[in-house]
Structure formats: C-alpha cells, structure tokens
Amino acid sequence: MTFPGTTEHPAVPPLADAGRVAPATYRDVTLLDLVDRLLDCGVVLSGEIVLAVGGVDLVYLSVRALVSSVETASRRLASTEGPGA
Amino acid sequence: MIYVYAIVSEPRLALGSLAGLAGAPVEVLDLSRIAALFSCHDGFPPEAAIDALQRHHRVVEAAASTGTVVPTRFGTTFRGLDDLEQVLIARQDRLAGLLRALRGKVELALRMCISPRIGAPDDVAKGLLAQLASKAAATVINRREAGMTTAAFLVGGDEVSSFQRCTADLLGNRPEVRASLTGPWPPYSFNDPALLSGPMVSLPLAAATPKRSTHV
C-alpha cells in the first residue's frame, strides 16, 4: 500500500481524462485535496485543538487563494463547456 | 507544546529520522492498544503553511505505510504529554475501534464539477456518487457549491485500481462532468465510526446553503 507524496504522483492518473481538470494540474489538485484533508478531516481528539476551535477558518484563509483558484477554474470550465458546446 | 500527527496501532515504526513540523523528531506515546505520534515544540500553534501541511502529511503517510493509522486534524496540540495521555486513555476504545475498521483501507478523493448547463446537475451528481459509493466501504460527500461536489471513498488497499477504473468508466465519457480522483490517501476523512458501518451515502445535495465543507 502506498500513499501519494506531495511531490510524487502515483503512476495511475486521477482519471482516464485527467486533462479535463485543466488549467489546474494534477499536482494542484493533489495539493488542494491535501489541504482539504488536513484542515477539514482527521480525528479531533479533544480540548487543546488549537486550530479546530476557531482557528481553522482563519488558517483556511491562508490557503484560500489556492482553493478558490482551482475551484473557480473548474467552475469556469463547466460553465463554458456544456454538453451542447 | 505537544503536536499530534496520528493515532496508530503498530507503534513499532521505523520512525528513525522522520522529521515532523519544524524538523522536530517524531516520537511515540505507546498505550499498548493504541499509540500517538507526536513532536514537541515551543511557541506553537503552527501556521497552516503548505510546508507545514506537507510535513504533517509525510508523517501520517510514513505511519500508514507500515500499519493502520487514524490521522489527526492539522493543528491538534496539547499542553503536555500528560494531557495527551489522559485523552487517549479516555478515548482508547473508540480509537482502537477506528483502527480496526480502517485496517487495510485507503481513501480516494473525488472532486467533481457538473456543468450547470445541464438540467438538475445535483441530481446527476447524486446518481453518479451513488454508483461510486456502492463500490466503497464508506463514503463521505461534501457539496461545495452548485454543481461542485467533493467526496471521499474508503476502499481496500487492493481495490484502488479497480475503483479508479470504475470512476474513469463512469465519468470519463461525460462531457458535462469535470472530475479528478486523487489518492490513495491515508483515511483522513473517515474519523467517525458511524461512517464505517458499511456502504452508505449521505447526499446533502439539496441543501440550500453552499458550505465550504461540512462533514455529513
């Protein structure tokens, strides 16, 4: 069982047609998915969760540019390339 | 300050030179049934810079490569080892149960955007996600905004390729769908025993309020 490094990517592309998430690259998306996992997920033990108490949103802002850039790019693609396009 | 990366079942890890946040050595607090991977720091809490997130992830994936792991959320800190130990003792049963449920499993992350030009994109998403969820041991779905959904699928480590193929078959030839599937990841998204009871799908797709990411 292997896991993706943040600088190495698995041999199998994310989808057969991975290019369709362009202009965000697979590396961008992997980083974005990493950010989502570490800030939103994972077990919260209790008490002294510094960032979970209210810091998460603040912290999230620091990576928001990346988040919004990828999601905006995806949205733009979707809105300009409908099934009839 | 104690910074925690993950709860593990097999603490006999080759932690050797493994460096955590700020290059601090990763240590083990072993309670026999479960153990915590942590590092000691002054002047925390950490900033969620990309480098710090990657360091956290590297510790988690190193642990996951040699055993089962329940990753902690970035930023999980304690004043001292005594505090951490008390929490671990109090939650030992639940964490041990989580470790059992996650054994041999990995997470795949789907990010899917469906063109608003088609009718009812959320219904289309719902149908697609239900098909994928039927192939997974557990599923967490987050609706980001109209047409944009992220989902996490828990699958066996030996089922990754087949799940990737299935996803490609399902989504690859649909021009209205833009999607990515990353992973395998350590099971970051599956921290609730309720999500581990079997195949399930929660679909908050009709929710009126777009949320950044709400666990279902």
Side-chain angles (χ1 to χ4, degrees), chain A residues 15-16, chain B residues 164-174:
Chain A
L15 275 187
Chain B
Q164 287 171 329
R165 274 197 304 276
C166 175
T167 307
D169 291 345
L170 188 64
L171 305 180
N173 58 358
R174 299 186 68 121

Side-chain angles (χ1 to χ4, degrees), chain A:
Chain A
M1 187 189 315
T2 59
F3 294 94
T6 45
T7 54
E8 295 178 13
H9 300 138
V12 181
L15 275 187
D17 196 0
R20 286 163 62 188
V21 295
T25 65
Y26 181 48
R27 182 189 170 86
D28 290 336
V29 174
T30 299
L31 188 56
L32 178 58
D33 283 343
L34 173 68
V35 170
D36 278 354
R37 305 209 124 57
L38 289 181
L39 297 186
D40 288 346
C41 303
V43 67
V44 176
L45 291 176
S46 82
E48 304 289 330
I49 312 297
V50 173
L51 298 183
V53 174
V56 165
D57 286 340
L58 289 175
V59 159
Y60 199 77
L61 287 176
S62 69
V63 293
R64 196 173 182 117
L66 173 66
V67 174
S68 61
S69 67
V70 176
E71 292 202 350
T72 301
S74 301
R75 200 166 56 244
R76 193 180 303 125
L77 273 180
S79 65
T80 54
E81 297 181 32

Side-chain angles (χ1 to χ4, degrees), chain B residues 108-181:
Chain B
L108 293 172
L110 178 73
R111 187 171 293 274
M112 184 168 69
C113 189
I114 298 184
S115 171
R117 286 190 179 186
I118 68 164
D122 284 351
D123 288 344
V124 173
K126 191 172 179 175
L128 294 172
L129 291 167
Q131 289 187 65
L132 290 175
S134 71
K135 312 284 185 190
T139 304
V140 175
I141 295 173
N142 302 307
R143 180 184 185 273
R144 297 289 168 145
E145 51 193 281
M148 170 66 82
T149 303
T150 59
F153 300 97
L154 188 71
V155 302
D158 56 354
E159 297 168 344
V160 170
S161 295
S162 63
F163 193 91
Q164 287 171 329
R165 274 197 304 276
C166 175
T167 307
D169 291 345
L170 188 64
L171 305 180
N173 58 358
R174 299 186 68 121
E176 74 278 22
V177 177
R178 302 290 177 275
S180 65
L181 186 71

Side-chain angles (χ1 to χ4, degrees), chain B residues 184-201:
Chain B
W185 298 94
Y188 283 112
S189 303
F190 297 93
N191 59 356
D192 185 339
L195 294 175
L196 301 172
S197 55
M200 61 164 287
V201 191

